[in-house]
Amino acid sequence: MTVPPDDGLPLTADFPDATYEQWQQLVAGVLQKTGARSIDDKRPEAALATSLPDGIRVNPLYTAADGRAAEDRPGFAPFTRGAKPEGNAAGGWDIRQAHRRADAQGTREAVLADLENGVSSVWLTVGSGGLPVQDLGMALDGVYLELAPVVLDAGAETGAAARELLRLYGEYGATLPESTPGNLGADPLGYAARTGEHGAVDGLLREAAELAVLCHDGQPGLRALTVDALPYHEAGGSPAQELGASLAVGVAYLRRLTEAGLSPEAACAQLEFRYAATADQFTTIATLRAARRLWARVAQVCGVEGGSAAQRQHAVTSPVMMTRRDPWVNMLRTTVACLGAGVGGADAVTVLPFDEALGLPDAFARRIARNTSSILVEESHLAGVIDPAGGSWYVETLTDELARAAWAWFQEIERAGGMAQALRDGLVGDRLAAEWARRGEALAHRREPVTGVSEFPLLAETPLERESAPEAPRGGGLPRVRRDDAFEALRSRSDAHLAATGSRPRLFLAALGPAAAHTARVSFVSNLLQAGGIEPVHDPVTVDAESAAGALARSGATVACLCSDDTRYAEEAAGVTAALKAAGAASVLLAGRPKGEQREEYERAGVDEFVFAGGDAVAVLSSLLDRMGVA
């Protein structure tokens, strides 16, 4: 676009506008130089598109022709741009720290340290898997309950924990302002999803409705129910599946609350929605925006208008993305996720400590977690602009596509009889499992890389030791998955081998020719091997048919991999392979993907397997560990 000459910056005033068609021609030219195939002459940029879950394709460039910006204003239906007119600009979002210790004194010390250093509300796991209900008062001793909202997560013991918290509020004479509500955490359907105890749902729903009436009548700063979408996210669900499930749960709770005598407006005011924020910042932003839009539609159908239709959101950095290896990288993941949650307009944000996957976080990890939000709010001024992504053609289009996909899933759940029935019948579990299987394949092939785990692993890292966290209730509910699961299993095999033998399983890298010929594939194979806990041995720097046998013996490995360019392979691969096999190599691999006659020739020479970018890394590494005798 030409800059108008009267704006004080006429730097491009004398240049003609660049058209979309001209850009397409440039893209086509670059793609042809890279050797890309199947280029669409009319839309060459389609070759650069990225596939997301839920059938969504992300284009490399968006313009006004791709959609329209949300026309609403923050604080007005459908609330895409924010639930409150002022957004988070007045004071930032609620910085909510999670606590799941089982001892009251340790919890109290951690809670007070957090509240003194930037945290504005606390999220306590109570009952089985957390703090005993009877110790709640001891854990909150010294906390100004009227200033620091408390959010409970108590599962089957929600009723007892909620009444204990209400007793504490009464004892202290504390009344929470409606602007910063706490939450009793009743989530009967979430509990059933976690544990598979579907028979308990009706009783827990009655109890939740009773708590909602108590809060409505006597403690307006407390909400009674949480619509927690994390069980569906942690079972491997896509963003649209997470959104659709939350809508179905929210509708089920509205039905039960209105049956208990609350008006639709009062029922909506008793709900807080909890979503995962991932390191995919744009999807996180669009998910939260779409969630508000979708819930506003539900509220509209129920006859709810005005601010009561606005969804209150609690965003939690995704447990699925947290890794057990190289956990320091989790700081970066959670920072990006927190940024996405803030830009997306979440009312409260919980940044999980970087060592969350290893057990109970230490003081340093909790400090980094809470300071992540503080820096984004206070130093980066991220909350100073309401809906900063609004007007981005990409974000607006992605918001719309996610909303439509989520609405379709929500309608399917409703047609199946509602969320409780869909959970019992396995509809929800089956769909989430299918999505995780699709994603698991992408992880195994490293199309979805996990830094520090499947890419750039540090095999010699010193593992962090953390105090074990209380066991969460288990049962026949939805599984909890992590992106690093498959690679973690491989690394655990290597760790056990190291503990039993004093060394890790090894593979000899038989590099052929000069460094220029083999460096790229040596680096690729080394990276791949370490992702599975296998130590690559690249000594000497290069070998030939005469030196390969001795080098293999010195390496202590029983498996070798040839690394070089295709020209060098054609000249030396057969001879070096024969020498390695004669020296006792149980298997010989070749880095690359030869085809046709060339592949057949290498196989006849004794090459057992080929490793290449895009292959199933988990299958290859598992097979290698098997061949090396690693149990």
Side-chain angles (χ1 to χ4, degrees):
M1 178 181 295
T2 301
V3 178
D6 59 352
D7 70 349
L9 297 171
L11 301 178
T12 62
D14 296 330
F15 293 88
D17 289 343
T19 66
Y20 193 86
E21 289 72 23
Q22 289 174 318
W23 174 76
Q24 286 180 308
Q25 291 173 4
L26 292 175
V27 169
V30 172
L31 289 173
Q32 288 170 356
K33 290 179 181 179
T34 64
R37 300 177 181 179
S38 303
I39 301 175
D40 187 338
D41 293 335
K42 295 182 179 180
R43 294 189 68 254
E45 70 273 20
L48 300 175
T50 302
S51 294
L52 296 182
D54 307 306
I56 295 173
R57 292 276 287 174
V58 175
N59 298 322
L61 182 68
Y62 286 83
T63 69
D66 294 298
R68 61 182 180 84
E71 297 177 353
D72 61 286
R73 297 291 182 267
F76 293 87
F79 305 103
T80 307
R81 307 206 65 189
K84 300 173 292 187
E86 74 280 12
N88 289 322
W93 53 81
D94 173 7
I95 302 175
R96 183 174 296 173
Q97 190 84 301
H99 296 271
R100 51 182 179 141
R101 297 188 69 90
D103 64 298
Q105 184 59 31
T107 300
R108 178 179 179 274
E109 292 173 359
V111 166
L112 291 176
D114 286 338
L115 292 174
E116 291 170 1
N117 292 281
V119 166
S120 50
S121 66
V122 295
W123 176 18
L124 299 176
T125 299
V126 182
S128 178
L131 184 73
V133 172
Q134 65 271 19
D135 291 345
L136 188 58
M138 189 185 307
L140 294 176
D141 183 28
V143 175
Y144 294 104
L145 295 177
E146 69 276 14
L147 299 178
V150 175
V151 175
L152 299 179
D153 188 353
E157 298 178 64
T158 294
R163 285 178 170 80
E164 177 63 11
L165 182 61
L166 289 170
R167 184 191 68 78
L168 293 174
Y169 276 112
E171 183 177 304
Y172 292 124
T175 301
L176 279 174
E178 293 186 46
S179 59
T180 55
N183 198 297
L184 301 180
D187 186 19
L189 290 172
Y191 176 74
R194 290 280 197 206
T195 64
E197 296 183 16
H198 304 291
V201 169
D202 285 340
L204 292 175
L205 281 171
R206 284 194 299 273
E207 187 174 60
E210 293 171 1
L211 293 173
V213 172
L214 283 174
C215 290
H216 175 71
D217 292 341
Q219 191 63 268
L222 271 177
R223 298 188 181 213
L225 289 91
T226 298
V227 179
D228 191 355
L230 290 185
Y232 317 103
H233 170 77
E234 290 186 75
S238 68
Q241 287 174 332
E242 182 183 353
L243 283 174
S246 74
L247 291 182
V249 172
V251 167
Y253 292 167
L254 284 185
R255 292 189 180 114
R256 186 54 66 100
L257 294 183
T258 52
E259 289 172 3
L262 293 180
S263 67
E265 289 83 0
C268 284
Q270 288 299 312
L271 304 182
E272 180 177 74
F273 288 73
R274 183 178 295 146
Y275 294 107
T278 73
D280 184 340
Q281 61 178 341
F282 291 112
T283 298
T284 296
I285 294 166
T287 295
L288 295 174
R289 298 172 90 248
R292 291 192 296 270
R293 171 181 163 185
L294 291 167
W295 185 246
R297 175 58 178 152
V298 170
Q300 180 187 38
V301 172
C302 295
V304 179
E305 299 179 353
S308 298
Q311 185 185 76
R312 179 169 176 82
Q313 295 178 333
H314 172 204
V316 182
T317 56
S318 166
V320 176
M321 73 179 180
M322 304 293 272
T323 63
R324 286 155 280 195
R325 307 286 171 164
D326 204 357
W328 313 101
V329 182
N330 291 330
M331 295 186 197
L332 308 178
R333 296 186 178 100
T334 54
T335 299
V336 177
C338 184
L339 183 149
V343 173
D347 301 285
V349 179
T350 294
V351 175
L352 295 179
F354 72 89
D355 52 0
E356 177 271 343
L358 301 173
L360 292 174
D362 65 6
F364 171 73
R366 293 197 312 275
R367 176 187 172 200
I368 294 296
R370 64 180 179 251
N371 283 348
T372 300
S373 278
S374 295
I375 288 173
L376 291 175
V377 172
E378 302 295 342
E379 298 188 27
S380 299
H381 306 292
L382 193 67
V385 177
I386 305 170
D387 190 28
S392 159
W393 300 119
Y394 171 39
V395 173
E396 298 291 358
T397 301
L398 185 57
T399 298
D400 184 67
E401 291 176 337
L402 276 174
R404 294 181 185 279
W407 190 260
W409 172 230
F410 161 62
Q411 289 181 311
E412 185 174 352
I413 294 173
E414 287 294 287
R415 285 194 296 269
M419 192 58 167
Q421 190 67 40
L423 283 170
R424 281 195 298 269
D425 292 346
L427 171 65
V428 173
D430 290 345
R431 289 297 177 82
L432 299 182
E435 171 61 23
W436 181 245
R438 182 204 64 77
R439 192 174 176 190
E441 182 181 1
L443 288 163
H445 287 259
R446 301 197 293 179
R447 293 193 296 270
E448 180 180 338
V450 183
T451 304
V453 176
S454 66
E455 297 284 355
F456 314 114
L458 182 61
L459 192 57
E461 73 171 300
T462 302
L464 289 183
E465 298 292 337
R466 290 293 183 264
E467 182 183 349
S468 297
E471 282 288 333
R474 295 183 179 274
L478 300 175
R480 294 190 180 193
V481 300
R482 292 186 187 269
R483 292 198 307 161
D484 67 352
D485 279 342
F487 290 94
E488 177 63 24
L490 297 171
R491 293 288 294 271
S492 295
R493 290 177 66 181
S494 173
D495 288 348
H497 185 79
L498 174 63
T501 66
S503 64
R504 293 196 181 275
R506 295 179 175 180
L507 183 143
F508 174 59
L509 298 179
L512 313 181
H518 65 240
T519 295
R521 280 173 170 160
V522 164
S523 298
F524 164 75
V525 175
S526 296
N527 188 42
L528 172 66
L529 294 174
Q530 292 178 85
I534 300 172
E535 180 184 349
V537 180
H538 184 201
D539 183 27
V541 174
T542 185
V543 296
D544 54 25
E546 294 182 357
S547 62
L552 175 69
R554 290 190 298 272
S555 73
T558 59
V559 178
C561 181
L562 305 182
C563 298
S564 194
D565 58 24
D566 293 342
T567 301
R568 190 71 56 171
Y569 282 156
E571 297 172 354
E572 299 185 33
V576 174
T577 299
L580 291 169
K581 285 292 184 76
S587 297
V588 175
L589 288 69
L590 183 143
R593 196 175 189 179
K595 297 180 180 180
E597 294 181 359
Q598 191 69 65
R599 181 187 179 100
E600 293 174 359
E601 179 181 337
Y602 293 147
E603 289 174 339
R604 286 194 297 271
V607 172
D608 300 289
E609 192 171 355
F610 301 88
V611 291
F612 47 86
D616 190 333
V618 171
V620 168
L621 293 168
S622 181
S623 173
L624 283 174
L625 291 174
D626 290 343
R627 296 180 206 183
M628 295 172 180
V630 179

